[in-house]
Amino acid sequence: MADPNETATSGGAAAQLRARRDLAVAAAVRQGLLDDAYPLTALLDLRTVRETVHALHDAFAGLGAPSRPPLHTFAVKAGSLVPVLRLLNDLGMGAEVASPGELALARAAGVAADRTVLDSPAKTTAELSEALRLGIAINVDNPQELARLDASVATRPPRAPVGLRINPQLGAGSIDAMSTATATSKFGVALQDPGARNWVLRAYAERPWLTALHCHVGSQGMPLDRMAAGVATIVELAEEINDAAVAAGGRPQVDTLDIGGGLPVNFASDEVTPAYRDFADLLGERAPEAFGGQYRIVTEFGRSVLAKAGVVLARVEYTKDAGGRRIVVTHAGAQVATRTVFAPDSWPLRVAAYDGDGAPLTAAPLRQDIAGPCCFAGDLVARDREMPELRPGDHAALLDTGAYYASNPFGYNSLLRPAVHGFTVGPGGAVEFTPLRRAQTVAELVAESGG
Ligand SMILES: Cc1ncc(COP(=O)(O)O)c(C=O)c1O
């Protein structure tokens, strides 16, 4: 087995990730993290999280204004647990929030206002005022929101960067629902629509307090060169705004470029590809002005920060055959893998098989449907998947589920929200778990449901 803690090359890193995962699954089973009351749990490899955040910082180090190093905010929606946000904050990340709840979580984790960015296409007047009061950066979605801000800014000038979210209208990636830069996307100012560019230029000329530009062209399924083209679009716009400001006798107005998140995650193997460095290098080629020293770079990565670190682990309750198909009924379904269940082609997951003691299963492969506990027929996390034969008491592990899975549960069938445990592996292979979220109790469920 690979040494789970050795620092190594990418291939080695994948083997170590797998080795740590196997140790954590065995320890979780041995330590009774799954039982009849809670036959489902989630694990997060804290070492992988740390290494990923370091890789992000390294990839962008030295880019942008030397006096204002890049600010990497974490998209809270991807992992909305306070201890996770606290860890990321300790590792130097800020927070991208898109609702009052996400802002509250980021604040509870100690993320400073000047390291927080507010997105969302539906900000209320109260949210905008609160952001101005706290000194949080705001990405303004549309002209009506800008008009609301005009009123608030008159009495409280922004202390943090405020800018427009631009939709460069570059087209969809492979997942329509995650493509935010289509011609008719609900996000941002559609830059290629007739008159839009002039409206943006006028908006900045009339409001010297607009000092940032933002784009986020999509999340998963977006080719890197499309993401880079989105950044190039806002850089070009920033240069145009700044040239106009200088020509009018002022200073370059836009000094912050928020380039969003969206680095795709490889759900097909343990390899991290693409890497942050691939994207940073591409940006250096496609949008070199962004890194010339004039702009502060802000990023908003979510999925790529946590996905590889996470496992959802479920006990196999029953197996059966129907119409010639083996069906494995586990406790992980739509309540923790909502996107995979409802849009399986867009969100395929690897499922690893472990035995009743949590050891990797080596049984002969068999084609199986891996089903969840929810009461609808489509509650399957994998269909007709060839993998070692699972039996009652074994375990199914949904891999790469550190972001947008257990942390974003779906309340169907009133299934209890599972616990989320962080883990580290000591030098001798000993696994230590840290609670990141307690499992929901039946009493809490009843109370939350009006009981
Ligand atoms: C504005 C914005 N920024 C960042 C993100 C995070 O994207 P990802 O998790 O793919 O990095 C999202 C995701 O929906 C988003 O809408």
Side-chain angles (χ1 to χ4, degrees), residues 42-45 49 74 76-81 84 265 267 302-312 336 349 398-408 420 436:
L43 310 176
L44 194 70
D45 179 348
V49 175
F74 172 69
V76 170
K77 58 182 88 64
S80 41
L81 300 177
V84 171
V265 164
F267 284 98
R303 181 174 291 102
S304 54
V305 178
L306 293 186
K308 287 290 184 207
V311 178
V312 168
V336 283
L349 281 178
L398 313 189
L399 307 187
D400 311 316
T401 47
Y404 298 103
Y405 280 89
S407 62
N408 303 47
V420 182
L436 300 176

PDB file of all heavy atoms in Angstrom, residues 42-45 49 74 76-81 84 265 267 302-312 336 349 398-408 420 436:
ATOM      1  N   ALA A  42     -20.431  10.637   6.236  1.00  0.00           N
ATOM      2  CA  ALA A  42     -19.562  11.275   5.235  1.00  0.00           C
ATOM      3  C   ALA A  42     -18.208  11.559   5.870  1.00  0.00           C
ATOM      4  O   ALA A  42     -18.129  11.921   7.051  1.00  0.00           O
ATOM      5  CB  ALA A  42     -20.198  12.567   4.730  1.00  0.00           C
ATOM      6  N   LEU A  43     -17.163  11.385   5.075  1.00  0.00           N
ATOM      7  CA  LEU A  43     -15.787  11.549   5.555  1.00  0.00           C
ATOM      8  C   LEU A  43     -15.077  12.585   4.686  1.00  0.00           C
ATOM      9  O   LEU A  43     -15.290  12.623   3.463  1.00  0.00           O
ATOM     10  CB  LEU A  43     -15.029  10.217   5.467  1.00  0.00           C
ATOM     11  CG  LEU A  43     -15.719   8.980   6.070  1.00  0.00           C
ATOM     12  CD1 LEU A  43     -14.868   7.727   5.811  1.00  0.00           C
ATOM     13  CD2 LEU A  43     -15.946   9.173   7.566  1.00  0.00           C
ATOM     14  N   LEU A  44     -14.240  13.393   5.320  1.00  0.00           N
ATOM     15  CA  LEU A  44     -13.491  14.407   4.562  1.00  0.00           C
ATOM     16  C   LEU A  44     -12.020  14.321   4.956  1.00  0.00           C
ATOM     17  O   LEU A  44     -11.683  14.474   6.142  1.00  0.00           O
ATOM     18  CB  LEU A  44     -14.053  15.804   4.863  1.00  0.00           C
ATOM     19  CG  LEU A  44     -13.611  16.911   3.924  1.00  0.00           C
ATOM     20  CD1 LEU A  44     -14.246  16.745   2.533  1.00  0.00           C
ATOM     21  CD2 LEU A  44     -13.967  18.290   4.489  1.00  0.00           C
ATOM     22  N   ASP A  45     -11.177  14.114   3.970  1.00  0.00           N
ATOM     23  CA  ASP A  45      -9.738  13.953   4.187  1.00  0.00           C
ATOM     24  C   ASP A  45      -9.107  15.345   4.333  1.00  0.00           C
ATOM     25  O   ASP A  45      -8.920  16.069   3.344  1.00  0.00           O
ATOM     26  CB  ASP A  45      -9.167  13.192   2.978  1.00  0.00           C
ATOM     27  CG  ASP A  45      -7.666  12.978   3.059  1.00  0.00           C
ATOM     28  OD1 ASP A  45      -7.007  13.589   3.922  1.00  0.00           O
ATOM     29  OD2 ASP A  45      -7.159  12.188   2.235  1.00  0.00           O
ATOM     30  N   VAL A  49      -7.569  18.381   1.707  1.00  0.00           N
ATOM     31  CA  VAL A  49      -8.064  19.760   1.654  1.00  0.00           C
ATOM     32  C   VAL A  49      -6.884  20.728   1.770  1.00  0.00           C
ATOM     33  O   VAL A  49      -6.745  21.670   0.979  1.00  0.00           O
ATOM     34  CB  VAL A  49      -9.090  20.026   2.786  1.00  0.00           C
ATOM     35  CG1 VAL A  49      -9.509  21.493   2.788  1.00  0.00           C
ATOM     36  CG2 VAL A  49     -10.312  19.112   2.647  1.00  0.00           C
ATOM     37  N   PHE A  74     -13.684  30.872  -0.991  1.00  0.00           N
ATOM     38  CA  PHE A  74     -14.287  29.549  -1.183  1.00  0.00           C
ATOM     39  C   PHE A  74     -15.791  29.734  -1.386  1.00  0.00           C
ATOM     40  O   PHE A  74     -16.448  30.446  -0.603  1.00  0.00           O
ATOM     41  CB  PHE A  74     -14.021  28.677   0.051  1.00  0.00           C
ATOM     42  CG  PHE A  74     -14.771  27.374   0.019  1.00  0.00           C
ATOM     43  CD1 PHE A  74     -14.438  26.379  -0.895  1.00  0.00           C
ATOM     44  CD2 PHE A  74     -15.826  27.139   0.894  1.00  0.00           C
ATOM     45  CE1 PHE A  74     -15.144  25.178  -0.936  1.00  0.00           C
ATOM     46  CE2 PHE A  74     -16.530  25.939   0.859  1.00  0.00           C
ATOM     47  CZ  PHE A  74     -16.188  24.961  -0.061  1.00  0.00           C
ATOM     48  N   VAL A  76     -19.110  29.074  -0.681  1.00  0.00           N
ATOM     49  CA  VAL A  76     -19.657  28.399   0.505  1.00  0.00           C
ATOM     50  C   VAL A  76     -20.684  27.336   0.134  1.00  0.00           C
ATOM     51  O   VAL A  76     -20.805  26.305   0.800  1.00  0.00           O
ATOM     52  CB  VAL A  76     -20.237  29.449   1.481  1.00  0.00           C
ATOM     53  CG1 VAL A  76     -21.031  28.799   2.602  1.00  0.00           C
ATOM     54  CG2 VAL A  76     -19.103  30.293   2.061  1.00  0.00           C
ATOM     55  N   LYS A  77     -21.391  27.540  -0.967  1.00  0.00           N
ATOM     56  CA  LYS A  77     -22.410  26.565  -1.377  1.00  0.00           C
ATOM     57  C   LYS A  77     -21.813  25.168  -1.569  1.00  0.00           C
ATOM     58  O   LYS A  77     -22.510  24.174  -1.446  1.00  0.00           O
ATOM     59  CB  LYS A  77     -23.108  27.020  -2.670  1.00  0.00           C
ATOM     60  CG  LYS A  77     -22.161  27.227  -3.844  1.00  0.00           C
ATOM     61  CD  LYS A  77     -22.880  27.715  -5.083  1.00  0.00           C
ATOM     62  CE  LYS A  77     -23.010  29.212  -5.165  1.00  0.00           C
ATOM     63  NZ  LYS A  77     -21.764  29.987  -5.274  1.00  0.00           N
ATOM     64  N   ALA A  78     -20.520  25.105  -1.855  1.00  0.00           N
ATOM     65  CA  ALA A  78     -19.887  23.819  -2.148  1.00  0.00           C
ATOM     66  C   ALA A  78     -19.592  23.005  -0.890  1.00  0.00           C
ATOM     67  O   ALA A  78     -19.347  21.798  -0.992  1.00  0.00           O
ATOM     68  CB  ALA A  78     -18.585  24.039  -2.926  1.00  0.00           C
ATOM     69  N   GLY A  79     -19.606  23.669   0.270  1.00  0.00           N
ATOM     70  CA  GLY A  79     -19.281  22.933   1.491  1.00  0.00           C
ATOM     71  C   GLY A  79     -19.680  23.744   2.704  1.00  0.00           C
ATOM     72  O   GLY A  79     -18.830  24.225   3.441  1.00  0.00           O
ATOM     73  N   SER A  80     -20.979  23.858   2.911  1.00  0.00           N
ATOM     74  CA  SER A  80     -21.486  24.864   3.860  1.00  0.00           C
ATOM     75  C   SER A  80     -21.496  24.346   5.298  1.00  0.00           C
ATOM     76  O   SER A  80     -22.544  24.238   5.921  1.00  0.00           O
ATOM     77  CB  SER A  80     -22.879  25.303   3.413  1.00  0.00           C
ATOM     78  OG  SER A  80     -23.629  24.202   2.960  1.00  0.00           O
ATOM     79  N   LEU A  81     -20.322  24.028   5.799  1.00  0.00           N
ATOM     80  CA  LEU A  81     -20.169  23.586   7.186  1.00  0.00           C
ATOM     81  C   LEU A  81     -19.162  24.506   7.866  1.00  0.00           C
ATOM     82  O   LEU A  81     -18.056  24.710   7.354  1.00  0.00           O
ATOM     83  CB  LEU A  81     -19.656  22.148   7.247  1.00  0.00           C
ATOM     84  CG  LEU A  81     -20.545  21.089   6.576  1.00  0.00           C
ATOM     85  CD1 LEU A  81     -19.891  19.720   6.636  1.00  0.00           C
ATOM     86  CD2 LEU A  81     -21.915  21.054   7.228  1.00  0.00           C
ATOM     87  N   VAL A  84     -15.536  23.476   8.310  1.00  0.00           N
ATOM     88  CA  VAL A  84     -14.815  23.429   7.032  1.00  0.00           C
ATOM     89  C   VAL A  84     -14.429  24.852   6.619  1.00  0.00           C
ATOM     90  O   VAL A  84     -13.285  25.106   6.200  1.00  0.00           O
ATOM     91  CB  VAL A  84     -15.690  22.754   5.945  1.00  0.00           C
ATOM     92  CG1 VAL A  84     -15.049  22.886   4.576  1.00  0.00           C
ATOM     93  CG2 VAL A  84     -15.915  21.292   6.291  1.00  0.00           C
ATOM     94  N   VAL A 265     -13.880  19.222 -11.964  1.00  0.00           N
ATOM     95  CA  VAL A 265     -13.295  18.134 -11.179  1.00  0.00           C
ATOM     96  C   VAL A 265     -13.360  16.850 -11.996  1.00  0.00           C
ATOM     97  O   VAL A 265     -14.346  16.593 -12.692  1.00  0.00           O
ATOM     98  CB  VAL A 265     -14.071  17.982  -9.849  1.00  0.00           C
ATOM     99  CG1 VAL A 265     -13.771  16.649  -9.181  1.00  0.00           C
ATOM    100  CG2 VAL A 265     -13.746  19.141  -8.911  1.00  0.00           C
ATOM    101  N   PHE A 267     -14.158  13.304 -12.082  1.00  0.00           N
ATOM    102  CA  PHE A 267     -14.909  12.318 -11.289  1.00  0.00           C
ATOM    103  C   PHE A 267     -14.618  10.887 -11.742  1.00  0.00           C
ATOM    104  O   PHE A 267     -15.267   9.954 -11.283  1.00  0.00           O
ATOM    105  CB  PHE A 267     -16.416  12.599 -11.392  1.00  0.00           C
ATOM    106  CG  PHE A 267     -16.863  13.783 -10.551  1.00  0.00           C
ATOM    107  CD1 PHE A 267     -17.025  15.032 -11.126  1.00  0.00           C
ATOM    108  CD2 PHE A 267     -17.105  13.642  -9.196  1.00  0.00           C
ATOM    109  CE1 PHE A 267     -17.422  16.118 -10.361  1.00  0.00           C
ATOM    110  CE2 PHE A 267     -17.492  14.720  -8.415  1.00  0.00           C
ATOM    111  CZ  PHE A 267     -17.652  15.966  -9.001  1.00  0.00           C
ATOM    112  N   GLY A 302     -14.999  26.366  -5.613  1.00  0.00           N
ATOM    113  CA  GLY A 302     -15.749  25.592  -4.622  1.00  0.00           C
ATOM    114  C   GLY A 302     -15.485  24.107  -4.783  1.00  0.00           C
ATOM    115  O   GLY A 302     -14.737  23.493  -4.025  1.00  0.00           O
ATOM    116  N   ARG A 303     -16.068  23.542  -5.836  1.00  0.00           N
ATOM    117  CA  ARG A 303     -15.991  22.082  -6.042  1.00  0.00           C
ATOM    118  C   ARG A 303     -14.551  21.572  -6.039  1.00  0.00           C
ATOM    119  O   ARG A 303     -14.232  20.570  -5.399  1.00  0.00           O
ATOM    120  CB  ARG A 303     -16.693  21.721  -7.362  1.00  0.00           C
ATOM    121  CG  ARG A 303     -16.696  20.230  -7.678  1.00  0.00           C
ATOM    122  CD  ARG A 303     -17.522  19.900  -8.912  1.00  0.00           C
ATOM    123  NE  ARG A 303     -18.930  20.108  -8.671  1.00  0.00           N
ATOM    124  CZ  ARG A 303     -19.626  21.155  -9.088  1.00  0.00           C
ATOM    125  NH1 ARG A 303     -19.037  22.084  -9.826  1.00  0.00           N
ATOM    126  NH2 ARG A 303     -20.889  21.285  -8.800  1.00  0.00           N
ATOM    127  N   SER A 304     -13.678  22.266  -6.768  1.00  0.00           N
ATOM    128  CA  SER A 304     -12.308  21.767  -6.908  1.00  0.00           C
ATOM    129  C   SER A 304     -11.540  21.812  -5.589  1.00  0.00           C
ATOM    130  O   SER A 304     -10.519  21.140  -5.445  1.00  0.00           O
ATOM    131  CB  SER A 304     -11.564  22.582  -7.975  1.00  0.00           C
ATOM    132  OG  SER A 304     -11.651  23.972  -7.669  1.00  0.00           O
ATOM    133  N   VAL A 305     -12.029  22.598  -4.614  1.00  0.00           N
ATOM    134  CA  VAL A 305     -11.317  22.694  -3.333  1.00  0.00           C
ATOM    135  C   VAL A 305     -11.582  21.445  -2.473  1.00  0.00           C
ATOM    136  O   VAL A 305     -10.705  20.973  -1.766  1.00  0.00           O
ATOM    137  CB  VAL A 305     -11.755  23.974  -2.570  1.00  0.00           C
ATOM    138  CG1 VAL A 305     -11.069  24.067  -1.210  1.00  0.00           C
ATOM    139  CG2 VAL A 305     -11.469  25.231  -3.399  1.00  0.00           C
ATOM    140  N   LEU A 306     -12.792  20.912  -2.559  1.00  0.00           N
ATOM    141  CA  LEU A 306     -13.173  19.855  -1.614  1.00  0.00           C
ATOM    142  C   LEU A 306     -13.505  18.501  -2.224  1.00  0.00           C
ATOM    143  O   LEU A 306     -13.480  17.481  -1.529  1.00  0.00           O
ATOM    144  CB  LEU A 306     -14.412  20.299  -0.802  1.00  0.00           C
ATOM    145  CG  LEU A 306     -14.259  21.455   0.178  1.00  0.00           C
ATOM    146  CD1 LEU A 306     -15.559  21.621   0.957  1.00  0.00           C
ATOM    147  CD2 LEU A 306     -13.114  21.227   1.143  1.00  0.00           C
ATOM    148  N   ALA A 307     -13.880  18.473  -3.510  1.00  0.00           N
ATOM    149  CA  ALA A 307     -14.482  17.245  -4.049  1.00  0.00           C
ATOM    150  C   ALA A 307     -13.649  16.000  -3.780  1.00  0.00           C
ATOM    151  O   ALA A 307     -14.144  14.990  -3.272  1.00  0.00           O
ATOM    152  CB  ALA A 307     -14.729  17.395  -5.550  1.00  0.00           C
ATOM    153  N   LYS A 308     -12.360  16.075  -4.119  1.00  0.00           N
ATOM    154  CA  LYS A 308     -11.523  14.880  -4.045  1.00  0.00           C
ATOM    155  C   LYS A 308     -11.337  14.382  -2.614  1.00  0.00           C
ATOM    156  O   LYS A 308     -10.937  13.235  -2.388  1.00  0.00           O
ATOM    157  CB  LYS A 308     -10.143  15.173  -4.656  1.00  0.00           C
ATOM    158  CG  LYS A 308     -10.189  15.270  -6.167  1.00  0.00           C
ATOM    159  CD  LYS A 308     -10.452  13.903  -6.714  1.00  0.00           C
ATOM    160  CE  LYS A 308     -10.433  13.781  -8.169  1.00  0.00           C
ATOM    161  NZ  LYS A 308     -11.254  12.687  -8.676  1.00  0.00           N
ATOM    162  N   ALA A 309     -11.579  15.265  -1.654  1.00  0.00           N
ATOM    163  CA  ALA A 309     -11.323  14.903  -0.257  1.00  0.00           C
ATOM    164  C   ALA A 309     -12.473  14.113   0.359  1.00  0.00           C
ATOM    165  O   ALA A 309     -12.320  13.561   1.450  1.00  0.00           O
ATOM    166  CB  ALA A 309     -11.071  16.176   0.565  1.00  0.00           C
ATOM    167  N   GLY A 310     -13.619  14.047  -0.312  1.00  0.00           N
ATOM    168  CA  GLY A 310     -14.813  13.535   0.357  1.00  0.00           C
ATOM    169  C   GLY A 310     -15.258  12.156  -0.087  1.00  0.00           C
ATOM    170  O   GLY A 310     -15.090  11.748  -1.242  1.00  0.00           O
ATOM    171  N   VAL A 311     -15.834  11.422   0.856  1.00  0.00           N
ATOM    172  CA  VAL A 311     -16.427  10.106   0.610  1.00  0.00           C
ATOM    173  C   VAL A 311     -17.763  10.057   1.348  1.00  0.00           C
ATOM    174  O   VAL A 311     -17.829  10.463   2.510  1.00  0.00           O
ATOM    175  CB  VAL A 311     -15.540   8.978   1.198  1.00  0.00           C
ATOM    176  CG1 VAL A 311     -16.178   7.621   0.977  1.00  0.00           C
ATOM    177  CG2 VAL A 311     -14.154   9.007   0.613  1.00  0.00           C
ATOM    178  N   VAL A 312     -18.787   9.584   0.682  1.00  0.00           N
ATOM    179  CA  VAL A 312     -20.038   9.273   1.381  1.00  0.00           C
ATOM    180  C   VAL A 312     -20.062   7.759   1.533  1.00  0.00           C
ATOM    181  O   VAL A 312     -19.926   7.030   0.538  1.00  0.00           O
ATOM    182  CB  VAL A 312     -21.258   9.779   0.582  1.00  0.00           C
ATOM    183  CG1 VAL A 312     -22.547   9.191   1.148  1.00  0.00           C
ATOM    184  CG2 VAL A 312     -21.316  11.309   0.592  1.00  0.00           C
ATOM    185  N   VAL A 336     -28.358  12.517  -0.292  1.00  0.00           N
ATOM    186  CA  VAL A 336     -26.971  13.024  -0.238  1.00  0.00           C
ATOM    187  C   VAL A 336     -26.330  13.142  -1.619  1.00  0.00           C
ATOM    188  O   VAL A 336     -25.253  13.716  -1.747  1.00  0.00           O
ATOM    189  CB  VAL A 336     -26.042  12.141   0.631  1.00  0.00           C
ATOM    190  CG1 VAL A 336     -26.273  12.383   2.110  1.00  0.00           C
ATOM    191  CG2 VAL A 336     -26.203  10.678   0.281  1.00  0.00           C
ATOM    192  N   LEU A 349     -20.877   9.243 -10.592  1.00  0.00           N
ATOM    193  CA  LEU A 349     -19.957   9.102  -9.462  1.00  0.00           C
ATOM    194  C   LEU A 349     -19.315   7.722  -9.507  1.00  0.00           C
ATOM    195  O   LEU A 349     -19.962   6.744  -9.909  1.00  0.00           O
ATOM    196  CB  LEU A 349     -20.713   9.210  -8.137  1.00  0.00           C
ATOM    197  CG  LEU A 349     -21.090  10.601  -7.643  1.00  0.00           C
ATOM    198  CD1 LEU A 349     -21.878  10.473  -6.339  1.00  0.00           C
ATOM    199  CD2 LEU A 349     -19.857  11.480  -7.430  1.00  0.00           C
ATOM    200  N   LEU A 398     -19.308   6.464  -2.074  1.00  0.00           N
ATOM    201  CA  LEU A 398     -19.425   7.378  -3.218  1.00  0.00           C
ATOM    202  C   LEU A 398     -18.209   8.297  -3.167  1.00  0.00           C
ATOM    203  O   LEU A 398     -18.022   9.033  -2.190  1.00  0.00           O
ATOM    204  CB  LEU A 398     -20.710   8.192  -3.134  1.00  0.00           C
ATOM    205  CG  LEU A 398     -22.015   7.435  -2.810  1.00  0.00           C
ATOM    206  CD1 LEU A 398     -23.219   8.365  -2.982  1.00  0.00           C
ATOM    207  CD2 LEU A 398     -22.155   6.209  -3.685  1.00  0.00           C
ATOM    208  N   LEU A 399     -17.397   8.243  -4.217  1.00  0.00           N
ATOM    209  CA  LEU A 399     -16.105   8.945  -4.191  1.00  0.00           C
ATOM    210  C   LEU A 399     -16.223  10.364  -4.767  1.00  0.00           C
ATOM    211  O   LEU A 399     -17.155  10.671  -5.507  1.00  0.00           O
ATOM    212  CB  LEU A 399     -15.069   8.138  -4.971  1.00  0.00           C
ATOM    213  CG  LEU A 399     -14.933   6.675  -4.559  1.00  0.00           C
ATOM    214  CD1 LEU A 399     -13.756   6.024  -5.281  1.00  0.00           C
ATOM    215  CD2 LEU A 399     -14.773   6.526  -3.049  1.00  0.00           C
ATOM    216  N   ASP A 400     -15.247  11.187  -4.408  1.00  0.00           N
ATOM    217  CA  ASP A 400     -15.163  12.574  -4.911  1.00  0.00           C
ATOM    218  C   ASP A 400     -16.368  13.397  -4.481  1.00  0.00           C
ATOM    219  O   ASP A 400     -16.823  14.287  -5.212  1.00  0.00           O
ATOM    220  CB  ASP A 400     -15.041  12.596  -6.446  1.00  0.00           C
ATOM    221  CG  ASP A 400     -13.976  11.662  -6.982  1.00  0.00           C
ATOM    222  OD1 ASP A 400     -12.883  11.652  -6.393  1.00  0.00           O
ATOM    223  OD2 ASP A 400     -14.240  10.938  -7.947  1.00  0.00           O
ATOM    224  N   THR A 401     -16.903  13.108  -3.303  1.00  0.00           N
ATOM    225  CA  THR A 401     -18.141  13.752  -2.878  1.00  0.00           C
ATOM    226  C   THR A 401     -17.904  14.773  -1.754  1.00  0.00           C
ATOM    227  O   THR A 401     -18.773  15.011  -0.931  1.00  0.00           O
ATOM    228  CB  THR A 401     -19.156  12.693  -2.408  1.00  0.00           C
ATOM    229  OG1 THR A 401     -18.482  11.777  -1.533  1.00  0.00           O
ATOM    230  CG2 THR A 401     -19.744  11.922  -3.579  1.00  0.00           C
ATOM    231  N   GLY A 402     -16.725  15.388  -1.756  1.00  0.00           N
ATOM    232  CA  GLY A 402     -16.445  16.371  -0.708  1.00  0.00           C
ATOM    233  C   GLY A 402     -17.162  17.690  -0.895  1.00  0.00           C
ATOM    234  O   GLY A 402     -17.282  18.478   0.047  1.00  0.00           O
ATOM    235  N   ALA A 403     -17.621  17.962  -2.118  1.00  0.00           N
ATOM    236  CA  ALA A 403     -18.296  19.247  -2.378  1.00  0.00           C
ATOM    237  C   ALA A 403     -19.682  18.985  -2.939  1.00  0.00           C
ATOM    238  O   ALA A 403     -19.851  18.115  -3.797  1.00  0.00           O
ATOM    239  CB  ALA A 403     -17.483  20.061  -3.388  1.00  0.00           C
ATOM    240  N   TYR A 404     -20.653  19.715  -2.475  1.00  0.00           N
ATOM    241  CA  TYR A 404     -22.032  19.690  -2.999  1.00  0.00           C
ATOM    242  C   TYR A 404     -22.743  18.352  -2.776  1.00  0.00           C
ATOM    243  O   TYR A 404     -23.761  18.106  -3.422  1.00  0.00           O
ATOM    244  CB  TYR A 404     -22.071  19.993  -4.508  1.00  0.00           C
ATOM    245  CG  TYR A 404     -21.572  21.355  -4.927  1.00  0.00           C
ATOM    246  CD1 TYR A 404     -20.313  21.507  -5.494  1.00  0.00           C
ATOM    247  CD2 TYR A 404     -22.378  22.492  -4.797  1.00  0.00           C
ATOM    248  CE1 TYR A 404     -19.857  22.749  -5.915  1.00  0.00           C
ATOM    249  CE2 TYR A 404     -21.935  23.745  -5.228  1.00  0.00           C
ATOM    250  CZ  TYR A 404     -20.674  23.864  -5.785  1.00  0.00           C
ATOM    251  OH  TYR A 404     -20.234  25.092  -6.221  1.00  0.00           O
ATOM    252  N   TYR A 405     -22.260  17.476  -1.932  1.00  0.00           N
ATOM    253  CA  TYR A 405     -22.988  16.228  -1.665  1.00  0.00           C
ATOM    254  C   TYR A 405     -23.512  16.246  -0.234  1.00  0.00           C
ATOM    255  O   TYR A 405     -24.542  16.866   0.025  1.00  0.00           O
ATOM    256  CB  TYR A 405     -22.124  15.001  -2.014  1.00  0.00           C
ATOM    257  CG  TYR A 405     -22.154  14.750  -3.535  1.00  0.00           C
ATOM    258  CD1 TYR A 405     -21.236  15.355  -4.386  1.00  0.00           C
ATOM    259  CD2 TYR A 405     -23.145  13.965  -4.094  1.00  0.00           C
ATOM    260  CE1 TYR A 405     -21.302  15.167  -5.761  1.00  0.00           C
ATOM    261  CE2 TYR A 405     -23.229  13.770  -5.473  1.00  0.00           C
ATOM    262  CZ  TYR A 405     -22.305  14.375  -6.296  1.00  0.00           C
ATOM    263  OH  TYR A 405     -22.390  14.189  -7.654  1.00  0.00           O
ATOM    264  N   ALA A 406     -22.828  15.611   0.722  1.00  0.00           N
ATOM    265  CA  ALA A 406     -23.390  15.504   2.071  1.00  0.00           C
ATOM    266  C   ALA A 406     -23.662  16.871   2.703  1.00  0.00           C
ATOM    267  O   ALA A 406     -24.556  17.009   3.531  1.00  0.00           O
ATOM    268  CB  ALA A 406     -22.450  14.702   2.955  1.00  0.00           C
ATOM    269  N   SER A 407     -22.891  17.892   2.271  1.00  0.00           N
ATOM    270  CA  SER A 407     -23.093  19.207   2.890  1.00  0.00           C
ATOM    271  C   SER A 407     -24.341  19.893   2.343  1.00  0.00           C
ATOM    272  O   SER A 407     -24.789  20.890   2.891  1.00  0.00           O
ATOM    273  CB  SER A 407     -21.859  20.090   2.674  1.00  0.00           C
ATOM    274  OG  SER A 407     -21.647  20.304   1.296  1.00  0.00           O
ATOM    275  N   ASN A 408     -24.916  19.380   1.261  1.00  0.00           N
ATOM    276  CA  ASN A 408     -26.131  19.972   0.678  1.00  0.00           C
ATOM    277  C   ASN A 408     -27.231  18.912   0.634  1.00  0.00           C
ATOM    278  O   ASN A 408     -27.652  18.489  -0.433  1.00  0.00           O
ATOM    279  CB  ASN A 408     -25.872  20.431  -0.763  1.00  0.00           C
ATOM    280  CG  ASN A 408     -24.741  21.415  -0.867  1.00  0.00           C
ATOM    281  OD1 ASN A 408     -23.680  21.202  -0.295  1.00  0.00           O
ATOM    282  ND2 ASN A 408     -24.939  22.472  -1.589  1.00  0.00           N
ATOM    283  N   VAL A 420     -20.873  14.419   9.291  1.00  0.00           N
ATOM    284  CA  VAL A 420     -19.693  14.582   8.433  1.00  0.00           C
ATOM    285  C   VAL A 420     -18.480  14.599   9.364  1.00  0.00           C
ATOM    286  O   VAL A 420     -18.441  15.375  10.322  1.00  0.00           O
ATOM    287  CB  VAL A 420     -19.757  15.887   7.606  1.00  0.00           C
ATOM    288  CG1 VAL A 420     -18.542  15.994   6.701  1.00  0.00           C
ATOM    289  CG2 VAL A 420     -21.052  15.966   6.797  1.00  0.00           C
ATOM    290  N   LEU A 436     -17.302  17.316  11.958  1.00  0.00           N
ATOM    291  CA  LEU A 436     -17.531  18.548  11.196  1.00  0.00           C
ATOM    292  C   LEU A 436     -19.023  18.918  11.228  1.00  0.00           C
ATOM    293  O   LEU A 436     -19.386  20.079  11.162  1.00  0.00           O
ATOM    294  CB  LEU A 436     -17.081  18.374   9.743  1.00  0.00           C
ATOM    295  CG  LEU A 436     -15.593  18.030   9.550  1.00  0.00           C
ATOM    296  CD1 LEU A 436     -15.270  17.782   8.086  1.00  0.00           C
ATOM    297  CD2 LEU A 436     -14.704  19.146  10.105  1.00  0.00           C
TER     298      LEU A 436
END
